[in-house]
Amino acid sequence: MNELGRLEDLPADYREALSRQNLVPLWPSLRAVLPPGKPQPRTRATHWPYEALRPLLLQAGELTPIEKAERRVLVLANPGHGLEKMQASAAMYLGMQLLLPGEWAPSHRHTPNAVRMVVEGEGAWTTVDGEKCTMQRGDLILTPTGLWHEHGHDGTEPVVWLDVLDLPLVYYMEASYHVDGQRQTQHPGRGDRAYARGGVVPMPVFERSRKAYPMLRYPWADARAALESLAADQPALDAVQVRYVNPETGADAQNILGYSALMLRPGQTLALPARSPAAVFHLIEGAASVQVEDQRFRLAAADTCCAPGYTAVTLANASADRPAFLFIADETPLHQKLGVFETRA
Ligand code: GTQ
């Protein structure tokens, strides 16, 4: 590979003449924007232990009333991007949100897509497009692009959930904005009820809603049961994993980020091939380690970590007699739609 000319090799007056015309020579930057063989991701393997985060989030509850925060969130920022960028990866944003008993986070809608993965506490709910979604540990709740959503809490203990948004991408596209709204009126007709069991549907008439997002709440009890029965049905299957999809089409639940749940059998080690999208791992239950190249994170329940793309990841269950359950968010739908998705052996 040729050494290319540097900026300093050019006469100063020529560089200034270029700048005055808003022109830039490509060759000094060509290798940086098209590095050899594989990208040089800014995204760094990063671990956010819940034990360290939780007291700081509860402290935010004392320091900042909900009215002064609208959304009381500590952002899980990747130092490789610079903390102020509030990015976990190129396309993913992560935040831990706290809602205290009796609090209400007012209705709004925005262009980025979000999901909530409930981490702890009982009694909170998110109303999405008029549908009240109750929140229990491990539930996944979609608040897709453009849909009104508000959060409330009728319980007695703090509720915490993990927000995953495609905000960095939508912001980069200069397409990120929000609109404030009125408190929503709730209507019956919950997608999670209609689609509670594959193969049996509500009577007398059941037709596809043809909504872009027919199901907004994916209860953990159902995803967990699906993993358990998959593991029992296929003892030789390595990756016991289910994808969160639109139940009417089978396509990814959202357009940009992909969501799945994975069960590690007792004592299991699972090597994932290097794939182009970055990924986030959140441990719902059990104990596991996540190895990203030479870094190894030991995840306790409610811990979150991320891995850059083009990097092999090895997951291991730290328990020899109990399964471990992980929630995974990644950039796969985005890479697939753009045609840049790759797997490397
Ligand atoms: O709950 O609507 O973490 O609008 C960031 C932006 C949560 C929310 C975040 C948001 C929300």
Side-chain angles (χ1 to χ4, degrees):
M1 198 168 55
N2 267 351
E3 274 293 306
L4 300 180
R6 299 167 305 167
L7 200 56
E8 310 83 83
D9 300 337
L10 298 169
D13 57 346
Y14 176 68
R15 279 150 52 189
E16 281 154 26
L18 289 178
S19 298
R20 275 196 297 277
Q21 299 305 320
N22 298 320
L23 296 169
V24 175
L26 171 62
W27 57 97
S29 305
L30 184 60
R31 298 281 187 252
V33 293
L34 291 169
K38 91 185 235 325
Q40 299 280 317
R42 271 192 236 284
T43 302
R44 253 188 248 160
T46 306
H47 178 201
W48 295 273
Y50 192 59
E51 192 184 18
L53 183 162
R54 186 178 188 274
L56 294 168
L57 186 57
L58 290 176
Q59 214 177 333
E62 290 161 21
L63 294 170
T64 307
I66 192 71
E67 296 74 23
K68 290 281 175 200
E70 218 167 278
R71 299 295 190 262
R72 194 191 289 108
V73 175
L74 293 182
V75 179
L76 283 56
N78 193 302
H81 288 270
L83 300 182
E84 71 290 350
K85 290 281 171 58
M86 300 199 299
Q87 291 179 239
S89 71
M92 290 188 286
Y93 157 104
L94 299 174
M96 278 289 180
Q97 183 160 170
L98 170 69
L99 202 63
L100 295 171
E103 286 184 340
W104 179 61
S107 196
H108 71 181
R109 59 188 173 95
H110 39 69
T111 46
N113 296 275
V115 299
R116 333 278 160 191
M117 163 52 49
V118 182
V119 175
E120 70 164 283
E122 298 273 329
W125 43 267
T126 294
T127 299
V128 189
D129 198 23
E131 186 173 320
K132 185 173 182 174
C133 300
T134 54
M135 299 175 105
Q136 271 157 355
R137 173 59 176 148
D139 290 353
L140 185 74
I141 292 160
L142 310 186
T143 56
T145 180
L147 297 194
W148 294 109
H149 55 281
E150 64 191 269
H151 316 296
H153 188 352
D154 306 326
T156 55
E157 298 297 322
V159 165
V160 176
W161 64 81
L162 177 67
D163 292 317
V164 187
L165 280 79
D166 49 25
L167 177 62
L169 177 76
V170 178
Y171 183 77
Y172 176 76
M173 291 164 64
E174 301 186 336
S176 179
Y177 71 96
H178 93 281
V179 179
D180 288 324
Q182 304 288 311
R183 191 164 195 137
Q184 296 172 66
T185 32
Q186 290 163 9
H187 59 68
R190 288 171 48 167
D192 61 329
R193 296 265 166 87
Y195 291 100
R197 295 282 182 275
V200 283
V201 298
M203 291 275 280
V205 187
F206 188 72
E207 283 181 357
R208 291 181 190 187
S209 69
R210 296 178 206 283
K211 286 184 186 171
Y213 306 97
M215 190 159 157
L216 296 169
R217 172 175 180 258
Y218 295 74
W220 174 235
D222 293 342
R224 193 185 189 286
L227 288 167
E228 294 258 24
S229 59
L230 182 61
D233 184 49
Q234 299 194 43
L237 183 66
D238 249 357
V240 181
Q241 192 170 10
V242 292
R243 188 197 312 277
Y244 292 94
V245 297
N246 174 329
E248 296 184 352
T249 64
D252 288 293
Q254 288 187 341
N255 287 326
I256 295 176
L257 301 181
Y259 304 101
S260 64
L262 185 143
M263 173 180 146
L264 291 169
R265 300 172 197 267
Q268 184 183 5
T269 297
L270 177 66
L272 305 175
R275 295 164 354 123
S276 53
V280 164
F281 302 90
H282 172 81
L283 188 66
I284 298 180
E285 198 182 309
S289 68
V290 177
Q291 174 125 16
V292 185
E293 285 178 337
D294 57 353
Q295 281 192 77
R296 187 151 176 261
F297 304 130
R298 288 167 200 283
L299 266 57
D303 281 12
T304 306
C305 72
C306 76
Y310 298 88
T311 311
V313 175
T314 302
L315 308 175
N317 190 340
S319 165
D321 44 47
R322 292 179 49 191
F325 294 93
L326 290 148
F327 168 65
I328 302 175
D330 72 18
E331 301 164 337
T332 296
L334 175 65
H335 280 226
Q336 287 174 334
K337 288 187 175 93
L338 298 183
V340 299
F341 181 87
E342 283 182 47
T343 302
R344 297 190 175 186

